[in-house]
DNA sequence: GAGACTCTGTGACGGAGGTCACAGACAGGA
DNA sequence: TCCTGTCTGTGACCTCCGTCACAGAGTCTC
């Protein structure tokens, strides 16, 4: 049980014994819309993506799950009995610890560290999703793309994503992303290459 | 202290003493964006509305707070220390019980009923806001308006709202609501009057 | 190098809906 | 009754962006 996560370490021994770890390849589906969740995943390494899809097949990322975090929608479903309202997939290779649903529900009330972990994450996600509503409702695609690049690039300004992947993140189409990025390139804000974007002028992008 | 709400009743006496009640007129602002919250409100009667606004002044309702519920964003802010990320106002005359911030933070860890109240509400709001993201991202305004009318009309199919108020709820403009309602009226789905909409053909509206 | 994919670039087109500018209907005082 | 403010209806216009249809460039494998 290589849990090594504070909320899991705080579990009583018997509960810790029930934790299993899994490895997922990029693109592997973790949860489908309508699923009954059977365990609460804690991401140990890699990153997972939770998204919705439209009737016409477009996707929109709700949030990403980083190492140390767990899927709060799953926790919410387990405690409320509702089915999972979105899709979750591995965005990179993912290692995750799985806490069985019944053990989670039983220990949730008893273990303060677990409760606080779930509660804190839930509050943060709510805030993030509210920001997302705001952006989708009030900002143009180019503004949202500029913001997305600025927030998701690494320290060198580099971001390894295809236009298709960026479109899925923003809930728009690939062509719109291609056009917009080309415009950003013309303005000298980014450099484009196959499968990646590199920010050249972060302030231009941010002040947009 | 006419609390009469389970989570408040469960508080230790000393904490219950600190609860005060307030009456608010419709339109009264409860929280502003960026506010530091000083107390956690529990709605006793009436309804409050939590919304965001765009740079151009359009509004978008995130959710409504019914009697027995409290403002979960406030709870989240109190526990995390973040400023309030939206606006809240009384949609009708509102009576609310106010639990001072310091008392809430202190008793939150100790009182299971309070914790469960907040947790359950937080989980439900997250689900509701995710549905909202989905609707804003993937549905047309007419579809969202049809859904809104069906979900918010009373048992007689009556809904007392101006077009302006409906536009604020959906995050669109008054003209668009007027045009769309007129089209619904032409199809025999609703009857329009100054300040109200009455559903005539609920199934037509729902199957849209 | 040939072929097969994947990824990107771009023009054309159309629909949804936001904005502006009014006009007229309704309601509540004074 | 008149006046004023609020609410609704509507046409014109324009922007954003989703979709379709390709073309061409990169990359990988055999």
């Amino acid at each position: 049980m290589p849990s090594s996560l504070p909320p899991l370490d705080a579990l009583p021994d018997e509960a810790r014994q029930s934790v299993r770890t899994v490895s997922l390849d990029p693109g592997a589906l973790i949860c489908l819309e309508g699923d009954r969740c059977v365990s609460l995943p804690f991401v140990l390494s890699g990153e997972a993506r939770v998204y919705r899809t439209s009737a016409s097949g477009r996707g929109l990322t709700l949030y990403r799950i980083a190492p140390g975090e767990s899927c709060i929608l799953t926790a919410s479903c387990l405690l409320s009995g509702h089915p999972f309202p979105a899709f979750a997939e591995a965005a990179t290779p993912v290692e995750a610890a799985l806490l069985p649903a019944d053990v989670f529900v039983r220990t949730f009330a008893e273990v303060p560290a677990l409760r606080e972990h779930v509660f804190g994450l839930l509050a943060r996600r709510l805030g993030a999703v509210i920001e997302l509503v705001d952006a989708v409702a009030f900002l143009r695609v180019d503004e949202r793309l500029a913001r997305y690049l600025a927030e998701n690039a690494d320290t060198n300004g580099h971001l390894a994503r295809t236009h298709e992947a960026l479109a899925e993140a923003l809930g728009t189409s690939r062509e719109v992303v291609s056009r917009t990025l080309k415009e950003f390139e013309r303005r000298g804000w980014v450099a484009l290459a196959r499968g990646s974007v590199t920010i050249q002028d972060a302030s231009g992008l941010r002040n947009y």
Side-chain angles (χ1 to χ4, degrees), chain A:
Chain A
M1 313 318 93
S3 63
S4 82
L5 285 180
L8 292 180
D9 292 344
L11 293 177
D13 275 354
E14 164 256 349
R16 289 195 55 193
Q17 303 291 325
S18 68
V19 174
R20 295 286 174 271
T21 63
V22 291
S23 296
L24 300 167
D25 293 326
L29 283 168
I30 301 166
C31 274
L32 302 181
E33 195 160 353
D35 270 5
R36 298 275 153 194
C37 309
V38 295
S39 58
L40 179 64
F42 290 75
V43 172
L44 300 171
S45 68
E47 196 176 47
R49 180 174 88 94
V50 177
Y51 63 99
R52 298 273 298 207
T53 56
S54 75
S56 66
R58 260 155 54 213
L60 171 62
T61 299
L62 297 174
Y63 56 84
R64 287 165 172 269
I65 307 174
E69 299 181 335
S70 41
C71 183
I72 208 61
L73 270 184
T74 301
S76 165
C77 292
L78 290 177
L79 294 170
S80 70
H82 291 306
F84 197 71
F87 294 90
E89 68 168 29
T92 65
V94 164
E95 295 253 341
L98 301 179
L99 182 63
D102 58 332
V103 179
F104 168 64
V105 172
R106 185 149 31 83
T107 51
F108 179 73
E110 298 158 14
V111 181
L114 179 61
R115 221 160 51 209
E116 281 153 26
H117 170 80
V118 169
F119 189 89
L121 214 45
L122 195 49
R124 269 188 286 149
R125 291 298 183 229
L126 181 63
V129 175
I130 284 176
E131 290 301 320
L132 179 62
V133 172
D134 190 272
V136 171
F138 298 137
L139 298 184
R140 291 197 314 274
V141 168
D142 52 356
E143 296 172 311
R144 292 175 53 214
L145 179 57
R147 185 186 286 193
Y148 186 89
L149 296 176
E151 285 173 0
N152 290 83
D154 65 19
T155 47
N156 303 318
H158 194 257
L159 183 62
R161 299 271 164 85
T162 64
H163 299 184
E164 180 70 45
L166 292 170
E168 277 274 308
L170 298 178
T172 182
S173 67
R174 201 265 315 160
E175 295 93 321
V176 172
V177 169
S178 288
R179 264 199 285 270
T180 309
L181 282 176
K182 210 62 194 170
E183 176 60 27
F184 288 177
E185 189 185 44
R186 272 189 278 273
R187 298 186 186 194
W189 295 349
V190 302
L192 301 179
R194 187 184 172 92
S196 80
V197 180
T198 307
I199 297 176
Q200 307 278 27
D201 178 359
S203 67
L205 214 52
R206 281 192 193 274
N207 298 335
Y208 187 39

